[in-house]
CSV table of all heavy atoms in Angstrom, one decimal:
chain,number,residue,atom,x,y,z
A,1,VAL,N,60.9,45.9,-14.7
A,1,VAL,CA,60.2,44.6,-14.8
A,1,VAL,C,60.2,43.9,-13.5
A,1,VAL,O,61.3,43.9,-12.8
A,1,VAL,CB,60.9,43.7,-15.9
A,1,VAL,CG1,60.2,42.4,-16.0
A,1,VAL,CG2,60.8,44.4,-17.3
A,2,ILE,N,59.2,43.4,-13.1
A,2,ILE,CA,59.1,42.5,-11.9
A,2,ILE,C,59.5,41.0,-12.2
A,2,ILE,O,58.8,40.5,-13.1
A,2,ILE,CB,57.7,42.6,-11.3
A,2,ILE,CG1,57.4,44.0,-10.7
A,2,ILE,CG2,57.6,41.6,-10.1
A,2,ILE,CD1,56.1,44.2,-10.1
A,3,SER,N,60.4,40.5,-11.6
A,3,SER,CA,60.9,39.0,-11.9
A,3,SER,C,60.1,38.2,-10.9
A,3,SER,O,60.2,38.4,-9.7
A,3,SER,CB,62.3,38.9,-11.8
A,3,SER,OG,63.0,39.7,-12.6
A,4,ALA,N,59.5,37.1,-11.4
A,4,ALA,CA,58.7,36.2,-10.6
A,4,ALA,C,59.0,34.8,-11.1
A,4,ALA,O,58.0,34.0,-11.5
A,4,ALA,CB,57.3,36.5,-10.5
A,5,PHE,N,60.2,34.4,-11.3
A,5,PHE,CA,60.6,33.2,-11.8
A,5,PHE,C,60.2,32.1,-10.8
A,5,PHE,O,59.8,31.0,-11.2
A,5,PHE,CB,62.1,33.1,-12.0
A,5,PHE,CG,62.6,34.0,-13.0
A,5,PHE,CD1,63.9,34.6,-12.8
A,5,PHE,CD2,61.9,34.4,-14.2
A,5,PHE,CE1,64.4,35.5,-13.9
A,5,PHE,CE2,62.3,35.2,-15.1
A,5,PHE,CZ,63.6,35.9,-14.9
A,6,ASP,N,60.2,32.4,-9.5
A,6,ASP,CA,59.8,31.4,-8.5
A,6,ASP,C,58.3,31.3,-8.3
A,6,ASP,O,57.9,30.4,-7.6
A,6,ASP,CB,60.5,31.7,-7.2
A,6,ASP,CG,60.2,33.0,-6.6
A,6,ASP,OD1,59.4,33.7,-7.4
A,6,ASP,OD2,60.7,33.5,-5.6
A,7,ARG,N,57.6,32.3,-9.0
A,7,ARG,CA,56.1,32.3,-8.9
A,7,ARG,C,55.6,32.3,-7.5
A,7,ARG,O,54.7,31.7,-7.1
A,7,ARG,CB,55.5,31.1,-9.6
A,7,ARG,CG,56.0,31.1,-11.1
A,7,ARG,CD,55.1,30.4,-12.1
A,7,ARG,NE,55.7,30.4,-13.5
A,7,ARG,CZ,54.9,30.1,-14.5
A,7,ARG,NH1,53.7,29.6,-14.4
A,7,ARG,NH2,55.4,30.1,-15.7
A,8,ASN,N,56.3,33.1,-6.5
A,8,ASN,CA,55.9,33.3,-5.3
A,8,ASN,C,54.7,34.4,-5.2
A,8,ASN,O,55.0,35.6,-5.5
A,8,ASN,CB,57.1,33.8,-4.5
A,8,ASN,CG,56.7,34.1,-3.0
A,8,ASN,OD1,55.7,34.4,-2.5
A,8,ASN,ND2,57.7,33.5,-2.2
A,9,LEU,N,53.5,34.0,-5.1
A,9,LEU,CA,52.4,34.9,-5.2
A,9,LEU,C,52.4,36.0,-4.1
A,9,LEU,O,52.0,37.0,-4.4
A,9,LEU,CB,51.1,34.0,-5.0
A,9,LEU,CG,50.7,33.1,-6.2
A,9,LEU,CD1,49.6,32.2,-5.8
A,9,LEU,CD2,50.5,34.0,-7.5
A,10,ALA,N,52.7,35.7,-2.9
A,10,ALA,CA,52.8,36.7,-1.8
A,10,ALA,C,53.8,37.8,-2.1
A,10,ALA,O,53.5,38.9,-2.0
A,10,ALA,CB,53.2,36.0,-0.5
A,11,GLU,N,55.0,37.4,-2.6
A,11,GLU,CA,56.0,38.4,-2.9
A,11,GLU,C,55.6,39.2,-4.2
A,11,GLU,O,55.8,40.4,-4.2
A,11,GLU,CB,57.3,37.7,-3.2
A,11,GLU,CG,58.5,38.7,-3.4
A,11,GLU,CD,59.8,38.0,-3.6
A,11,GLU,OE1,59.9,36.7,-3.3
A,11,GLU,OE2,60.8,38.6,-4.1
A,12,LEU,N,55.1,38.5,-5.1
A,12,LEU,CA,54.7,39.1,-6.4
A,12,LEU,C,53.6,40.2,-6.1
A,12,LEU,O,53.6,41.3,-6.6
A,12,LEU,CB,54.1,38.1,-7.4
A,12,LEU,CG,53.5,38.7,-8.7
A,12,LEU,CD1,54.5,39.5,-9.4
A,12,LEU,CD2,53.0,37.5,-9.5
A,13,THR,N,52.5,39.8,-5.2
A,13,THR,CA,51.5,40.7,-5.0
A,13,THR,C,52.0,41.9,-4.2
A,13,THR,O,51.5,43.1,-4.5
A,13,THR,CB,50.4,40.0,-4.0
A,13,THR,OG1,50.0,38.8,-4.8
A,13,THR,CG2,49.2,40.9,-3.8
A,14,GLN,N,53.0,41.7,-3.3
A,14,GLN,CA,53.6,42.9,-2.6
A,14,GLN,C,54.2,43.8,-3.5
A,14,GLN,O,54.1,45.0,-3.4
A,14,GLN,CB,54.5,42.4,-1.5
A,14,GLN,CG,55.1,43.5,-0.6
A,14,GLN,CD,54.0,44.3,0.1
A,14,GLN,OE1,53.0,43.7,0.5
A,14,GLN,NE2,54.1,45.6,0.1
A,15,LYS,N,55.0,43.3,-4.5
A,15,LYS,CA,55.7,44.2,-5.5
A,15,LYS,C,54.8,44.9,-6.4
A,15,LYS,O,55.0,46.1,-6.6
A,15,LYS,CB,56.6,43.3,-6.3
A,15,LYS,CG,57.9,42.7,-5.6
A,15,LYS,CD,58.7,41.9,-6.6
A,15,LYS,CE,59.9,41.3,-5.8
A,15,LYS,NZ,60.8,40.6,-6.6
A,16,ILE,N,53.7,44.3,-6.8
A,16,ILE,CA,52.6,45.0,-7.5
A,16,ILE,C,52.0,46.1,-6.7
A,16,ILE,O,51.7,47.2,-7.2
A,16,ILE,CB,51.5,44.0,-8.1
A,16,ILE,CG1,52.2,43.0,-9.1
A,16,ILE,CG2,50.4,44.8,-8.7
A,16,ILE,CD1,51.2,41.9,-9.5
A,17,GLU,N,51.7,45.8,-5.5
A,17,GLU,CA,51.1,46.8,-4.6
A,17,GLU,C,52.0,48.0,-4.4
A,17,GLU,O,51.5,49.2,-4.4
A,17,GLU,CB,50.8,46.2,-3.2
A,17,GLU,CG,49.6,45.2,-3.2
A,17,GLU,CD,48.2,46.0,-3.3
A,17,GLU,OE1,48.2,47.2,-3.1
A,17,GLU,OE2,47.3,45.4,-3.6
A,18,THR,N,53.3,47.7,-4.2
A,18,THR,CA,54.3,48.8,-4.1
A,18,THR,C,54.3,49.7,-5.4
A,18,THR,O,54.4,51.0,-5.3
A,18,THR,CB,55.7,48.2,-3.8
A,18,THR,OG1,55.6,47.5,-2.5
A,18,THR,CG2,56.7,49.4,-3.6
A,19,ALA,N,54.4,49.1,-6.4
A,19,ALA,CA,54.4,49.8,-7.7
A,19,ALA,C,53.1,50.8,-7.9
A,19,ALA,O,53.3,51.9,-8.3
A,19,ALA,CB,54.5,48.8,-9.0
A,20,ILE,N,52.0,50.1,-7.6
A,20,ILE,CA,50.8,50.8,-7.7
A,20,ILE,C,50.7,52.0,-6.8
A,20,ILE,O,50.3,53.1,-7.0
A,20,ILE,CB,49.6,49.9,-7.5
A,20,ILE,CG1,49.4,48.9,-8.7
A,20,ILE,CG2,48.2,50.7,-7.5
A,20,ILE,CD1,48.3,47.8,-8.5
A,21,ALA,N,51.1,51.7,-5.5
A,21,ALA,CA,51.1,52.8,-4.6
A,21,ALA,C,52.1,54.0,-4.9
A,21,ALA,O,51.8,55.2,-4.8
A,21,ALA,CB,51.5,52.3,-3.3
A,22,SER,N,53.2,53.7,-5.5
A,22,SER,CA,54.2,54.7,-5.9
A,22,SER,C,53.6,55.4,-7.1
A,22,SER,O,53.7,56.7,-7.1
A,22,SER,CB,55.5,54.0,-6.4
A,22,SER,OG,56.4,55.0,-6.9
A,23,PHE,N,53.0,54.8,-8.1
A,23,PHE,CA,52.4,55.5,-9.3
A,23,PHE,C,51.2,56.4,-8.7
A,23,PHE,O,51.1,57.5,-9.3
A,23,PHE,CB,52.0,54.4,-10.2
A,23,PHE,CG,51.2,55.0,-11.3
A,23,PHE,CD1,51.8,55.6,-12.5
A,23,PHE,CD2,49.8,54.9,-11.5
A,23,PHE,CE1,51.2,56.1,-13.6
A,23,PHE,CE2,49.2,55.3,-12.6
A,23,PHE,CZ,49.8,56.0,-13.6
A,24,SER,N,50.4,55.8,-7.9
A,24,SER,CA,49.3,56.6,-7.4
A,24,SER,C,49.6,57.9,-6.8
A,24,SER,O,49.1,59.0,-6.8
A,24,SER,CB,48.4,55.8,-6.5
A,24,SER,OG,47.8,54.6,-7.1
A,25,GLY,N,50.8,57.7,-6.0
A,25,GLY,CA,51.3,58.9,-5.3
A,25,GLY,C,51.8,60.0,-6.3
A,25,GLY,O,51.6,61.2,-6.1
A,26,ARG,N,52.5,59.5,-7.3
A,26,ARG,CA,53.0,60.5,-8.3
A,26,ARG,C,51.9,61.1,-9.1
A,26,ARG,O,51.9,62.3,-9.3
A,26,ARG,CB,54.0,59.7,-9.3
A,26,ARG,CG,55.3,59.3,-8.7
A,26,ARG,CD,56.3,58.9,-9.8
A,26,ARG,NE,55.7,57.9,-10.7
A,26,ARG,CZ,55.9,56.6,-10.6
A,26,ARG,NH1,56.5,56.2,-9.4
A,26,ARG,NH2,55.4,55.8,-11.4
A,27,ARG,N,50.9,60.4,-9.3
A,27,ARG,CA,49.7,60.9,-10.1
A,27,ARG,C,49.0,61.8,-9.3
A,27,ARG,O,48.5,62.8,-9.8
A,27,ARG,CB,48.8,59.7,-10.7
A,27,ARG,CG,47.8,60.2,-11.6
A,27,ARG,CD,47.1,59.0,-12.2
A,27,ARG,NE,46.2,58.3,-11.3
A,27,ARG,CZ,45.5,57.2,-11.6
A,27,ARG,NH1,45.5,56.9,-12.9
A,27,ARG,NH2,44.9,56.5,-10.7
A,28,ALA,N,48.8,61.6,-8.0
A,28,ALA,CA,48.1,62.4,-7.1
A,28,ALA,C,48.8,63.8,-7.0
A,28,ALA,O,48.2,64.8,-7.0
A,28,ALA,CB,47.9,61.8,-5.7
A,29,ALA,N,50.2,63.7,-6.9
A,29,ALA,CA,51.0,65.0,-6.9
A,29,ALA,C,50.8,65.7,-8.2
A,29,ALA,O,50.7,67.0,-8.1
A,29,ALA,CB,52.4,64.6,-6.6
A,30,LYS,N,50.8,65.1,-9.2
A,30,LYS,CA,50.7,65.8,-10.5
A,30,LYS,C,49.3,66.4,-10.7
A,30,LYS,O,49.2,67.6,-11.1
A,30,LYS,CB,51.0,64.8,-11.6
A,30,LYS,CG,50.9,65.4,-13.1
A,30,LYS,CD,51.1,64.4,-14.2
A,30,LYS,CE,51.0,65.0,-15.5
A,30,LYS,NZ,51.2,64.0,-16.6
A,31,GLU,N,48.3,65.7,-10.3
A,31,GLU,CA,47.0,66.2,-10.3
A,31,GLU,C,46.9,67.5,-9.3
A,31,GLU,O,46.1,68.5,-9.7
A,31,GLU,CB,45.9,65.1,-9.9
A,31,GLU,CG,45.8,64.1,-11.0
A,31,GLU,CD,44.8,63.0,-10.6
A,31,GLU,OE1,44.5,63.0,-9.3
A,31,GLU,OE2,44.6,62.0,-11.4
A,32,GLU,N,47.6,67.5,-8.2
A,32,GLU,CA,47.5,68.5,-7.3
A,32,GLU,C,48.1,69.8,-7.9
A,32,GLU,O,47.6,70.9,-7.7
A,32,GLU,CB,48.2,68.2,-6.0
A,32,GLU,CG,48.1,69.3,-4.9
A,32,GLU,CD,46.8,69.7,-4.5
A,32,GLU,OE1,45.9,68.8,-4.5
A,32,GLU,OE2,46.6,70.8,-4.0
A,33,LYS,N,49.3,69.5,-8.6
A,33,LYS,CA,49.9,70.7,-9.3
A,33,LYS,C,49.0,71.3,-10.4
A,33,LYS,O,49.0,72.5,-10.6
A,33,LYS,CB,51.2,70.1,-9.9
A,33,LYS,CG,52.4,69.9,-8.8
A,33,LYS,CD,53.6,69.5,-9.6
A,33,LYS,CE,54.7,69.1,-8.5
A,33,LYS,NZ,56.0,68.7,-9.2
A,34,GLU,N,48.4,70.3,-11.1
A,34,GLU,CA,47.6,70.8,-12.1
A,34,GLU,C,46.4,71.6,-11.6
A,34,GLU,O,45.9,72.7,-12.1
A,34,GLU,CB,46.9,69.6,-12.9
A,34,GLU,CG,48.0,69.0,-13.8
A,34,GLU,CD,47.5,67.8,-14.5
A,34,GLU,OE1,46.3,67.4,-14.2
A,34,GLU,OE2,48.2,67.1,-15.4
A,35,ILE,N,45.8,71.2,-10.4
A,35,ILE,CA,44.7,71.9,-9.9
A,35,ILE,C,45.2,73.2,-9.3
A,35,ILE,O,44.5,74.3,-9.5
A,35,ILE,CB,44.1,71.0,-8.6
A,35,ILE,CG1,43.5,69.7,-9.1
A,35,ILE,CG2,43.2,71.9,-7.8
A,35,ILE,CD1,43.0,68.9,-8.0
A,36,GLU,N,46.4,73.3,-8.8
A,36,GLU,CA,46.9,74.5,-8.3
A,36,GLU,C,47.2,75.4,-9.5
A,36,GLU,O,47.0,76.7,-9.3
A,36,GLU,CB,48.2,74.3,-7.5
A,36,GLU,CG,49.0,75.5,-7.0
A,36,GLU,CD,48.2,76.3,-6.0
A,36,GLU,OE1,47.2,75.7,-5.3
A,36,GLU,OE2,48.4,77.5,-5.9
A,37,PHE,N,47.7,75.0,-10.5
A,37,PHE,CA,48.1,75.7,-11.7
A,37,PHE,C,46.8,76.4,-12.3
A,37,PHE,O,46.7,77.5,-12.6
A,37,PHE,CB,48.7,74.9,-12.7
A,37,PHE,CG,48.9,75.6,-14.0
A,37,PHE,CD1,49.9,76.6,-14.1
A,37,PHE,CD2,48.3,75.3,-15.2
A,37,PHE,CE1,50.3,77.3,-15.3
A,37,PHE,CE2,48.5,76.0,-16.4
A,37,PHE,CZ,49.6,77.0,-16.3
A,38,SER,N,45.8,75.5,-12.3
A,38,SER,CA,44.3,75.9,-12.8
A,38,SER,C,43.8,77.1,-11.9
A,38,SER,O,43.2,78.0,-12.3
A,38,SER,CB,43.4,74.8,-12.9
A,38,SER,OG,43.9,73.9,-13.9
A,39,ARG,N,44.1,76.9,-10.6
A,39,ARG,CA,43.5,77.9,-9.6
A,39,ARG,C,44.2,79.2,-9.8
A,39,ARG,O,43.6,80.3,-9.8
A,39,ARG,CB,43.7,77.4,-8.2
A,39,ARG,CG,43.1,78.3,-7.2
A,39,ARG,CD,43.3,77.7,-5.7
A,39,ARG,NE,42.8,76.3,-5.6
A,39,ARG,CZ,43.6,75.3,-5.4
A,39,ARG,NH1,44.9,75.4,-5.3
A,39,ARG,NH2,43.0,74.1,-5.2
A,40,ARG,N,45.5,79.2,-10.1
A,40,ARG,CA,46.3,80.3,-10.3
A,40,ARG,C,45.8,81.1,-11.6
A,40,ARG,O,45.8,82.3,-11.7
A,40,ARG,CB,47.8,80.2,-10.4
A,40,ARG,CG,48.4,79.7,-9.0
A,40,ARG,CD,49.9,80.0,-9.1
A,40,ARG,NE,50.6,79.2,-10.1
A,40,ARG,CZ,51.1,78.1,-10.0
A,40,ARG,NH1,51.0,77.5,-8.8
A,40,ARG,NH2,51.7,77.5,-11.0
A,41,ILE,N,45.5,80.2,-12.6
A,41,ILE,CA,45.0,80.8,-13.9
A,41,ILE,C,43.8,81.5,-13.7
A,41,ILE,O,43.6,82.6,-14.2
A,41,ILE,CB,45.0,79.6,-15.0
A,41,ILE,CG1,46.3,79.1,-15.4
A,41,ILE,CG2,44.2,80.1,-16.2
A,41,ILE,CD1,46.2,78.1,-16.3
A,42,GLU,N,42.8,80.9,-13.0
A,42,GLU,CA,41.5,81.4,-12.8
A,42,GLU,C,41.6,82.7,-12.0
A,42,GLU,O,40.8,83.6,-12.2
A,42,GLU,CB,40.6,80.4,-12.1
A,42,GLU,CG,40.3,79.2,-13.0
A,42,GLU,CD,39.5,78.2,-12.3
A,42,GLU,OE1,39.2,78.4,-11.1
A,42,GLU,OE2,39.2,77.0,-12.9
A,43,THR,N,42.5,82.7,-11.0
A,43,THR,CA,42.6,83.9,-10.1
A,43,THR,C,43.3,85.0,-10.8
A,43,THR,O,42.8,86.2,-10.7
A,43,THR,CB,43.4,83.5,-8.8
A,43,THR,OG1,42.8,82.4,-8.2
A,43,THR,CG2,43.5,84.7,-7.9
A,44,ASN,N,44.4,84.7,-11.4
A,44,ASN,CA,45.2,85.9,-12.1
A,44,ASN,C,44.8,86.3,-13.5
A,44,ASN,O,44.9,87.5,-13.8
A,44,ASN,CB,46.7,85.5,-11.9
A,44,ASN,CG,47.2,85.3,-10.6
A,44,ASN,OD1,46.7,85.9,-9.6
A,44,ASN,ND2,48.1,84.4,-10.3
A,45,THR,N,44.5,85.3,-14.3
A,45,THR,CA,44.2,85.6,-15.6
A,45,THR,C,43.0,86.5,-15.8
A,45,THR,O,43.0,87.4,-16.7
A,45,THR,CB,44.0,84.3,-16.4
A,45,THR,OG1,45.1,83.4,-16.3
A,45,THR,CG2,44.0,84.6,-17.9
A,46,ALA,N,42.0,86.2,-15.1
A,46,ALA,CA,40.7,87.0,-15.3
A,46,ALA,C,41.0,88.5,-15.0
A,46,ALA,O,40.5,89.4,-15.7
A,46,ALA,CB,39.6,86.5,-14.3
């Protein structure tokens, strides 16, 4: 949870940006693994 009791917009926005960037990186890495796995399936399974 992001705490924003002081309602500091600049700090809150930065924390949201950091969380989104981290999530986007994990999702991109996962998608890359899925693409690589699919590529191996298509190459070897056939």
Side-chain angles (χ1 to χ4, degrees):
V1 177
I2 296 177
S3 298
F5 298 145
D6 56 0
R7 305 203 176 193
N8 185 321
L9 289 172
E11 183 179 351
L12 174 61
T13 303
Q14 184 59 42
K15 289 181 178 179
I16 294 175
E17 285 288 342
T18 301
I20 293 175
S22 177
F23 175 75
S24 298
R26 292 195 303 271
R27 188 168 68 177
K30 182 179 179 180
E31 290 176 352
E32 181 63 27
K33 288 182 179 179
E34 291 176 351
I35 293 174
E36 178 61 25
F37 179 72
S38 298
R39 187 182 298 114
R40 290 201 304 268
I41 289 177
E42 293 175 0
T43 302
N44 299 323
T45 305

